[in-house]
Amino acid sequence: ITPEMAPRGRIACISPWNFPLAIFTGQIAGALAAGNAVLAKPAEQTPLIAAAAVELLHRAGVPVTALQLLPGDGATVGAALTADARVDGVVFTGSTQTAQAIRRSMAEHLHPGAPLIAETGGLNAMIVDSTALPEQAVRDILASSFQSAGQRCSALRCLYVQDEVAPHLLAMLGGAMEALRLGDPWLLATDIGPVIDDQAARDIRAHVAKARREGRVIHEMRAPEGGHFIAPV
């Protein structure tokens, strides 16, 4: 084993709420496979999924001494982990702003060689020109923009359409949006569920309201009453 491949020691894994099992377990598995012990800090919004996953990992044979669950919010638990000199590296998925805060804390408190593996937010674009099949483009726009209520770093954020095909495509897109159904995610008839919490709903509504004031809203649906639903816009 080369020095680069040798286990680091204790790795803090800080995961997001929008993939509360896949990213959570992916971070843990990678760190464990490399021979490290893991301090797993899930998002404060999804601790129960993380607790169930850790229980299953322990039952499957991962030693309790090699995997510990540390639920809590970022300002306390997360900040403490990234400022503790006993931590030998950090794996993080989340916002760019938080990743930068983690980097600053690690630089101040951790060993200079402690690695930070950070996967941060995306700004994803789609380009539709006159050679595209409109039905296929609209299908993919809907899936990328509104699947998981848009709460993915891989969600479509910028759509660029060739002028010659834009009117037809946007008309088709508006009609397809109207076919989407918001409601209880447990129901098979539901296409879009609520966003994660009240703070997320407020932030998105403020963003849409600003776009509406600027005359930039092209098509907007209505959200169900109650809950943290955000209609596709």
Side-chain angles (χ1 to χ4, degrees), residues 51-97:
V54 168
E55 180 184 358
L56 289 172
L57 287 165
H58 287 157
R59 284 168 52 187
V62 175
V64 174
T65 51
L67 173 59
Q68 292 287 304
L69 177 67
L70 295 176
D73 65 21
T76 52
V77 177
L81 278 173
T82 58
D84 194 316
R86 294 171 295 179
V87 171
D88 301 298
V90 176
V91 180
F92 170 77
T93 301
S95 73
T96 301
Q97 182 181 7

Side-chain angles (χ1 to χ4, degrees), residues 124-128 132-147 152 154-159 169 172-173 176-177 180:
N124 305 290
M126 183 185 297
I127 299 172
V128 181
L133 181 66
E135 293 83 358
Q136 186 178 55
V138 167
R139 180 200 66 191
D140 293 343
I141 292 165
L142 287 181
S144 187
S145 300
F146 304 123
Q147 194 175 45
R152 298 175 178 231
S154 55
L156 175 61
R157 297 276 298 278
C158 305
L159 175 63
L169 184 87
M172 186 181 293
L173 179 59
M177 287 170 63
L180 295 173

Side-chain angles (χ1 to χ4, degrees), residues 5-218:
M5 296 172 59
R8 295 281 181 171
R10 292 169 289 265
I11 303 296
C13 292
I14 303 175
S15 55
W17 51 261
N18 60 343
F19 288 90
L21 183 62
I23 293 178
F24 179 76
T25 53
Q27 290 180 347
I28 292 170
L32 290 175
N36 301 287
V38 174
L39 301 165
K41 208 294 283 184
E44 59 201 80
Q45 296 93 335
T46 53
L48 297 182
I49 294 175
V54 168
E55 180 184 358
L56 289 172
L57 287 165
H58 287 157
R59 284 168 52 187
V62 175
V64 174
T65 51
L67 173 59
Q68 292 287 304
L69 177 67
L70 295 176
D73 65 21
T76 52
V77 177
L81 278 173
T82 58
D84 194 316
R86 294 171 295 179
V87 171
D88 301 298
V90 176
V91 180
F92 170 77
T93 301
S95 73
T96 301
Q97 182 181 7
T98 302
Q100 291 170 339
I102 291 172
R103 181 185 64 183
R104 292 191 293 268
S105 181
M106 291 176 64
E108 184 176 351
H109 299 286
L110 271 59
H111 187 277
L116 168 62
I117 302 171
E119 178 190 17
T120 58
L123 188 63
N124 305 290
M126 183 185 297
I127 299 172
V128 181
D129 67 12
S130 60
T131 68
L133 181 66
E135 293 83 358
Q136 186 178 55
V138 167
R139 180 200 66 191
D140 293 343
I141 292 165
L142 287 181
S144 187
S145 300
F146 304 123
Q147 194 175 45
S148 301
Q151 301 173 112
R152 298 175 178 231
C153 59
S154 55
L156 175 61
R157 297 276 298 278
C158 305
L159 175 63
Y160 299 95
V161 185
Q162 184 175 330
D163 287 342
E164 287 79 1
V165 298
H168 175 65
L169 184 87
L170 292 177
M172 186 181 293
L173 179 59
M177 287 170 63
E178 290 296 332
L180 295 173
R181 293 293 172 261
L182 284 73
D184 185 345
W186 283 107
L187 302 178
L188 290 176
T190 297
D191 298 303
I192 301 172
V195 296
I196 184 68
D197 56 23
D198 185 59
Q199 181 62 54
R202 289 200 304 269
D203 289 347
I204 299 170
R205 289 189 186 113
H207 180 72
V208 173
K210 180 175 183 290
R212 193 183 297 113
R213 290 193 301 270
E214 295 170 352
R216 296 190 293 111
V217 171
I218 298 171

